[in-house]
Structures are given as structure tokens and as C-alpha cells.
Amino acid sequence: MIDNTKELVRKILIEEGKRNGYVLDMTCGKGYDSKFILENLSPKKLYAFDIQELSKEFTEKTLGSFKENFVFILDNHKNLDLYVKEEIDLAIFNLGYLPSSDKTITTNYKDVIEALEKILKKLTKNSMIIITFYPGHPSGKEEYIYVGKYLKNLSQQQYSIIKYDFINQKNDPPLVVKIIKK
């Protein structure tokens, strides 16, 4: 049974994410999404971004030694074009702050939109972006509003955008948006 966004995202990845191509983890955090992707999707290469050195330390513990097809990039995801030259088959964002760390260091909607603009230009046909939003905290609410406005203006001829929301959960629960390039 799916009763949280983590399980929902993993189900989407398993059922629709098998591309075996180039993948982006735009918010590496503790490396759990990267580990799941490496173990279940077998990408040619996974680029993982985070702005915090602490994230790299957590990810090293989560993954053990980094694999040949995994690249951790200590930089803002909006700078992905400096590192990623390939076309992209899958990108994942888990917005917000790094758990068990400074909650004032968060993703922000301007950087997310800039990263999305660059990813959308690199997506292959039938590829996907998954974004988990956390509107229960102030910057998460702001991200959901402004990134949501940006997504609503994308061409429906080029993209299908689906929102998954747990509407009976209290306190502004996380929600997931899936973008598919047609």
C-alpha cells in the first residue's frame, strides 16, 4: 500500500523509470534516492547534485564507495549544464532541506525553475521528471506555488504533467508532480 510520497516515488520509478540512460538526482541529500536508482534502474550514469558538503558525507555512507556510474556534484542544481552534456532520461527532485541538518538551508523556487528549464531542453522523448514538494514549511510552500505556476505554463502538446496528492492527510502533506516529455 502506498501511503507516503517516498513509496509513491519509488513505485513510479520502478514502473516507469526503467530507461537505463542518464539520470539526475537534483537534490541528493543523504543519497537514498540515488541508491534506489542505482540498485533498481541501472542507469548508464547518475549525476547527483547537492550544495552541502554534509550531503556528500551522508551519501558516501549510504552508497559505500561511489560507483563508476555515479557522480556526486557539490554544486547548485541550477548549474547542471556545467557538468551534464548528455541527454537526460530521468530527473528527480526531493525539495526542501537536508534532514538532520540546518533547516534554514533549503532549495528555492528560482534555482529549481532554472534547473527545470535546462533539464527540459535535455529530456529525451518519453522521459520523466519527478518532483516532491513539501508545502508544510514556508520555503516549501513558496516552491510549490511558484514552480507550480511555471509548470502550468508548459505546453500540453510537449508535456504531460500529473500531480499526486494525499488529500486526506493533515498539515499540508508532501505531494508529487510527474512531468513526462511527449
Side-chain angles (χ1 to χ4, degrees):
M1 179 167 97
I2 297 172
D3 62 357
N4 61 62
T5 54
K6 177 181 168 184
E7 292 304 316
L8 174 62
V9 167
R10 288 185 171 188
K11 183 171 179 59
I12 293 169
L13 287 171
I14 290 293
E15 292 182 0
E16 302 175 42
K18 292 231 180 242
R19 308 246 185 259
N20 298 328
Y22 294 92
V23 177
L24 304 175
D25 182 348
M26 301 305 289
T27 50
C28 190
K30 292 188 174 183
Y32 297 129
D33 289 336
S34 288
K35 182 176 183 180
F36 185 84
I37 290 167
L38 289 166
E39 290 176 346
N40 293 280
L41 303 183
S42 303
K44 285 182 189 172
K45 187 169 277 188
L46 170 59
Y47 294 95
F49 290 83
D50 210 290
I51 61 169
Q52 296 186 67
E53 183 70 38
L54 186 58
S55 172
K56 186 174 184 181
E57 294 170 22
F58 280 133
T59 300
E60 285 173 346
K61 288 178 186 171
T62 300
L63 295 180
S65 61
F66 288 166
K67 315 228 182 296
E68 283 183 25
N69 63 337
F70 178 80
V71 178
F72 184 93
I73 299 165
L74 188 62
D75 198 354
N76 191 311
H77 49 229
K78 73 179 184 177
N79 297 321
L80 72 103
D81 54 326
L82 300 176
Y83 306 95
V84 180
K85 305 304 178 195
E86 300 88 354
E87 289 187 319
I88 302 304
D89 296 301
L90 171 66
I92 184 168
F93 289 82
N94 192 356
L95 301 178
Y97 53 83
L98 178 62
S100 307
S101 71
D102 184 347
K103 293 181 180 174
T104 64
I105 302 172
T106 67
T107 53
N108 72 75
Y109 75 90
K110 291 177 184 176
D111 292 347
V112 172
I113 291 171
E114 187 173 338
L116 282 169
E117 288 174 341
K118 292 175 181 181
I119 294 169
L120 291 171
K121 292 176 185 173
K122 292 181 157 293
L123 285 179
T124 59
K125 185 177 170 87
N126 299 317
S127 56
M128 175 172 52
I129 301 170
I130 301 171
I131 307 171
T132 302
F133 291 94
Y134 295 88
H137 64 92
S139 65
K141 177 76 93 184
E142 189 175 67
E143 283 178 323
Y144 177 62
I145 291 168
Y146 290 105
V147 174
K149 286 179 183 178
Y150 172 78
L151 295 175
K152 283 182 181 181
N153 289 313
L154 291 178
S155 165
Q156 70 180 23
Q157 286 75 33
Q158 293 180 314
Y159 305 98
S160 291
I161 303 174
I162 303 163
K163 179 173 83 170
Y164 301 88
D165 193 358
F166 294 93
I167 62 174
N168 69 334
Q169 291 182 1
K170 296 179 170 105
N171 302 322
D172 293 317
L175 60 106
V176 175
V177 172
K178 179 175 71 173
I179 306 157
I180 302 168
K181 183 174 182 180
K182 296 180 181 181

